[in-house]
Amino acid sequence: MAVLIRNATQPVTGTSLTALLPPTTRLLGLGEPTHGVEVFPELRNELFRHLVEHEGYRSIAVESDCLAALVADAYVTDGTGTLDDAMSRGFSHGLGDSPANRELVRWLRAHNERRPPHERVRFYGFDGPVEMTGAASPRPALTALHDYLASHLDLAHSRETLDELLGPDEDWTNPAATTDPTRSVGRTPEAQELRLIADDLGVLLTAHAPHLTTAGSHDDWWRAGLRARAASGLLRYHAGMADTTPTRVGTLMCLRETMMADNLLALVDRESLRGPTLAYAHNRHLQKDRSRWLLPEGWGSLAGRTLEWWSAGSITAARLGDQYAFTATAFGTRGSDVPRPDSLEGLLSTLPDARTVVDPARLASALDREPAPRVPADHTYFPLDPATTDQTDAIIFVRDI
């Protein structure tokens, strides 16, 4: 069987990867199997350099706060601020501490310095302004959107009205609301009115696009659209945090994935005339199928329950079709976490190459049976399974990490 599997693999290079992707690809999702392991973003950097230099890619989007990423993008495209500032304020989820992310931002700035504006590679975040410990206040996104529109249009609501309805930011960011829905302000009368206002402002942004893009810049209008999505997404997410039903956690998963998908589709539309985009996030966010998560101990009465939701990748694929491609990554051994020989990761570990790119179609034909599921040492890793591999254009396997 090892010989047959070998026929489905090649050493990892930019060329061997792109050979497996549809020629119509406008958005390539490159997943990582777990967070916090530098070998995967380092590999991403290597592949992205090839995509930029040989395949015409002009943007990258990472699993980070879409609003914070504006700081990093300003640095890499125009040299605004410093590298340290871009790393400290331009990322969320602690991603600014990653040496590989720092190297990515440094390389982007060096690359862009030598090129005219229309050829510069842009940096995006496509996650919502949410963390595992809660969600941000909608104030920054909503008030910035209001100020942009107010500079061009007469609005029905003033900044003072917004500030009064928003109240203290501490009420929105209260970490206790993460586990206790009664501590959330997401379904108060004020929050419900803010959702209506955010919706109205978003409609105005679209309805007056011809005037707004002429009176100002198209980039300013696009950034206002980003803030409109963030404001509405955050208000929906806070309403989900206030949900007292057993479906609360699953609802929050769906809301986050929807924010991710909306941002991916918007940036693909923005970049359509310049070139394809690479999106980098966890496999579960980018895969084309439904995601599943068996809640571990520590989730109280929900422990042992399997949640299911449509990933951002599956939502995006439904809209883009074969213009969206997905590459999953996986690993063999990590310390004491060794895959069983009859699992897919165990079978791939028998190959001589330390890193391989796998053709899923050829791999499926080389297997004479369904591989056993891998049981990981902890819940931070989601092993390869049919939901990941069946609709995957390529798999990158790293034998040891």
Side-chain angles (χ1 to χ4, degrees):
M1 182 181 293
V3 174
L4 293 176
I5 292 177
R6 180 64 178 166
N7 293 335
T9 68
Q10 298 181 62
V12 176
T13 65
T15 301
S16 63
L17 173 61
T18 55
L20 297 177
L21 306 180
T24 52
T25 299
R26 295 170 62 198
L27 176 65
L28 169 59
L30 175 62
E32 64 176 8
T34 188
H35 292 320
V37 179
E38 285 292 291
V39 66
F40 296 109
E42 288 171 356
L43 180 59
R44 170 206 64 193
N45 291 352
E46 176 186 330
L47 294 172
F48 186 56
R49 285 193 292 269
H50 172 88
L51 294 172
V52 170
E53 294 168 354
H54 300 283
E55 306 293 340
Y57 279 60
R58 289 295 176 267
S59 54
I60 184 170
V62 300
E63 185 186 339
S64 187
D65 180 350
C66 58
L67 298 180
L70 294 173
V71 175
D73 182 60
Y75 173 73
V76 303
T77 55
D78 299 322
T80 303
T82 65
L83 176 58
D84 286 343
D85 188 51
M87 300 311 300
S88 64
R89 298 197 301 121
F91 289 83
S92 63
H93 301 84
L95 296 175
D97 297 330
S98 162
N101 283 338
R102 187 179 185 89
E103 174 56 24
L104 171 67
V105 172
R106 187 209 63 76
W107 179 83
L108 285 170
R109 180 66 201 131
H111 174 88
N112 287 336
E113 280 182 327
R114 305 187 299 272
R115 286 164 175 80
H118 68 279
E119 291 184 5
R120 292 173 188 169
V121 181
R122 307 206 74 135
F123 178 89
Y124 295 96
F126 69 93
D127 203 349
V130 299
E131 295 277 1
M132 289 299 292
T133 55
S137 166
R139 183 189 306 277
L142 190 57
T143 55
L145 171 63
H146 178 278
D147 291 349
Y148 169 78
L149 289 171
S151 67
H152 299 283
L153 307 171
D154 292 328
L155 301 181
H157 303 282
S158 66
R159 270 291 299 273
E160 290 73 22
T161 299
L162 288 184
D163 286 333
E164 183 178 346
L165 291 169
L166 285 162
D169 284 345
E170 292 78 8
D171 290 347
W172 296 95
T173 59
N174 182 1
T178 303
T179 55
D180 183 357
T182 66
R183 304 293 296 275
S184 171
V185 297
R187 296 194 178 186
T188 62
E190 292 82 3
Q192 292 174 12
E193 186 167 354
L194 286 168
R195 290 183 70 181
L196 293 175
I197 293 174
D199 183 67
D200 288 344
L201 294 179
V203 171
L204 287 174
L205 188 67
T206 300
H208 292 272
H211 166 62
L212 295 170
T213 54
T214 302
S217 72
H218 195 281
D219 282 348
D220 286 343
W221 178 83
W222 192 89
R223 283 189 286 268
L226 174 63
R227 293 184 170 101
R229 292 191 302 276
S232 293
L234 276 172
L235 288 164
R236 284 192 298 269
Y237 195 87
H238 279 288
M241 291 182 71
D243 183 5
T244 58
T245 69
T247 61
R248 177 179 185 263
V249 177
T251 297
L252 293 176
M253 295 288 188
C254 292
L255 291 173
R256 184 185 177 197
E257 298 295 330
T258 300
M259 281 191 277
M260 287 182 165
D262 286 345
N263 284 328
L264 285 173
L265 291 165
L267 70 89
V268 167
D269 182 63
R270 185 189 194 193
E271 296 290 339
S272 61
L273 298 179
R274 297 202 322 130
T277 297
L278 176 70
Y280 181 78
H282 198 285
N283 286 335
R284 280 298 191 266
H285 293 308
L286 295 175
Q287 68 185 35
K288 296 181 181 180
D289 203 348
R290 187 185 294 266
S291 291
R292 295 171 178 83
W293 183 25
L294 176 63
L295 291 175
E297 293 296 327
W299 283 86
S301 62
L302 295 177
R305 176 178 296 183
T306 298
L307 300 181
E308 295 189 0
W309 66 93
W310 291 107
S311 66
S314 63
I315 298 169
T316 302
R319 294 279 297 277
L320 294 182
D322 62 4
Q323 294 179 334
Y324 176 63
F326 169 56
T327 297
T329 55
F331 63 84
T333 297
R334 176 175 58 171
S336 61
D337 187 1
V338 180
R340 288 173 47 179
D342 55 348
S343 67
L344 182 52
E345 290 91 341
L347 293 171
L348 292 173
S349 295
T350 64
L351 299 173
D353 294 320
R355 303 189 311 180
T356 55
V357 59
V358 184
D359 182 343
R362 289 190 177 185
L363 179 64
S365 63
L367 298 174
D368 56 8
R369 55 178 170 75
E370 185 76 23
R374 177 177 183 176
V375 179
D378 58 60
H379 66 272
T380 65
Y381 173 51
F382 295 84
L384 291 174
D385 60 19
T388 309
T389 60
D390 286 354
Q391 299 184 55
T392 302
D393 296 278
I395 299 170
I396 292 176
F397 182 73
V398 179
R399 189 176 59 204
D400 302 289
I401 63 173

